[in-house]
Amino acid sequence: MLEFPAHRRAFLAGLLSIMGSKAFAQPRISEAELAIFSTGPATHALARRLVHTGEGRTYQLFTAMPRHPSPAGGYPVLYMLDGNAAFNALTVALLASAPQLVLVGVGYDTPLRVDVNQRSLDYTPPVGEEPVKDPGRAGRMIGGADRFLTALTGELRDEAERGVDVNPDRRAIWGHSYGGLFALYALFARPEVFARYCAISPSVGWHEGRLLAFEQAAGPLESAKDVLIALGDSERRRGDNSPPAPSPRTMELVERLRSKSAIDLQSHVLKGLGHGATMAASLPLSLPFAAA
């Protein structure tokens, strides 16, 4: 057997340790506890079910239906991406803050808070005519946002709203990170499908700022849109060694949207929060925004 000197063995052990813990480490995704389902909120009835689409995809729909009768014109409804994680963060108090708001979490058939591969495909804007392999992450596909938007506003919406008195002029969408990227893509590509857009810590720099092409190609809005963008003041992206700060690209987007007369923009920089923490922290802002 080939033997190395002690100092070489120590070096190799340290190198392997670094490679195992950093170079090849994957973020650990925790399970969704979904405690809200065991608390029995007084304002909403909760349910969840699997939905199979015509393209062979499986989604898990989480719903919170108001117990209060619908207002004139129907309930407002908020579609929440990463539904497993979104409903994992819901509390009785949050639901009580929007007692007439229908919440629909669009998640995946997994016990985890997020499904990184499926959200990567569904939430990222097209980079060609068909989805492609992610060059930076083996096993993932990207560029399926257009297909997902069609399913979200078609089969999934039909299933979620069946038998529910929803106001079609008061639909809103909420997403965090890649989900926030998707919400903005929907705003630029098909603004008519939602009235309100909540983009939380949106990944606007994804794929060298691919979103900008859709923003620049967007035509004038035919009706006013309400947009909420929130991000942390201590955000840091993978591979970015600069001091934590609000994303400069997101702040530039905020200023561009603020200049558009057809967009009523709310923007919030959440103090002391990094990228991951903004998801739950945004809900006290997002639910009343969608319900208004």
Side-chain angles (χ1 to χ4, degrees), residues 230-272:
L231 69 163
D233 71 350
S234 302
E235 301 218 8
R236 174 179 285 166
R237 301 289 179 174
R238 184 178 299 175
D240 183 359
N241 295 320
S242 59
S247 162
R249 282 184 170 177
T250 302
M251 299 307 295
E252 291 166 3
L253 173 64
V254 165
E255 292 308 311
R256 292 196 301 272
L257 294 181
R258 199 183 300 280
S259 68
K260 298 181 182 297
S261 60
I263 290 180
D264 186 355
L265 178 71
Q266 293 186 29
S267 64
H268 303 268
V269 175
L270 306 175
K271 294 186 179 299

Side-chain angles (χ1 to χ4, degrees), residues 1-288:
M1 182 180 294
L2 184 63
E3 291 285 344
F4 291 102
H7 72 281
R8 291 286 304 279
R9 292 199 300 271
F11 171 78
L12 289 171
L15 178 61
L16 289 171
S17 174
I18 292 172
M19 292 172 66
S21 63
K22 294 183 180 179
F24 296 102
Q26 296 294 325
R28 182 178 179 275
I29 307 298
S30 61
E31 291 194 3
E33 297 177 357
L34 299 171
I36 190 67
F37 280 86
S38 61
T39 57
T43 56
H44 290 73
L46 304 178
R48 52 178 167 161
R49 60 192 181 278
L50 295 179
V51 177
H52 307 285
T53 70
E55 288 196 339
R57 301 290 301 281
T58 299
Y59 295 92
Q60 187 165 193
L61 288 186
F62 300 82
T63 54
M65 297 294 176
R67 300 184 188 275
H68 192 281
S70 60
Y75 294 114
V77 56
L78 175 62
Y79 284 85
M80 308 182 79
L81 304 182
D82 287 318
N84 307 55
F87 267 62
N88 194 60
L90 283 182
T91 65
V92 169
L94 282 169
L95 289 175
S97 71
Q100 291 188 313
L101 177 67
V102 173
L103 287 86
V104 178
V106 182
Y108 299 101
D109 185 13
T110 174
L112 303 180
R113 291 185 300 106
V114 297
D115 186 316
V116 292
N117 289 340
Q118 295 206 67
R119 74 192 299 268
S120 174
L121 171 62
D122 283 343
Y123 299 166
T124 55
V127 294
E129 292 185 2
E130 299 288 337
V132 299
K133 293 181 179 180
D134 187 336
R137 293 178 173 85
R140 295 190 194 177
M141 300 290 289
I142 57 175
D146 189 57
R147 292 181 177 182
F148 177 64
L149 184 56
T150 297
L152 178 63
T153 58
E155 294 174 89
L156 296 176
R157 186 170 75 187
D158 291 344
E159 180 65 26
E161 296 183 4
R162 183 173 292 114
V164 182
D165 183 19
V166 166
N167 187 330
D169 297 323
R170 298 184 67 189
R171 293 188 178 110
I173 186 170
W174 172 97
H176 173 262
S177 191
Y178 272 17
L181 171 66
F182 177 87
L184 291 171
Y185 168 75
L187 172 65
F188 298 138
R190 291 178 58 190
E192 75 281 359
V193 296
F194 295 102
R196 299 190 169 206
Y197 296 79
C198 304
I200 312 304
S201 295
S203 300
V204 298
W206 177 82
H207 210 74
E208 302 301 322
R210 174 67 176 159
L211 180 69
L212 181 61
F214 296 95
E215 178 187 353
Q216 292 175 336
L221 290 170
E222 295 182 1
S223 60
K225 301 296 173 183
D226 296 311
V227 178
L228 183 152
I229 295 178
L231 69 163
D233 71 350
S234 302
E235 301 218 8
R236 174 179 285 166
R237 301 289 179 174
R238 184 178 299 175
D240 183 359
N241 295 320
S242 59
S247 162
R249 282 184 170 177
T250 302
M251 299 307 295
E252 291 166 3
L253 173 64
V254 165
E255 292 308 311
R256 292 196 301 272
L257 294 181
R258 199 183 300 280
S259 68
K260 298 181 182 297
S261 60
I263 290 180
D264 186 355
L265 178 71
Q266 293 186 29
S267 64
H268 303 268
V269 175
L270 306 175
K271 294 186 179 299
L273 297 186
H275 185 73
T278 58
M279 190 208 79
S282 75
L283 297 182
L285 300 170
S286 302
L287 268 63

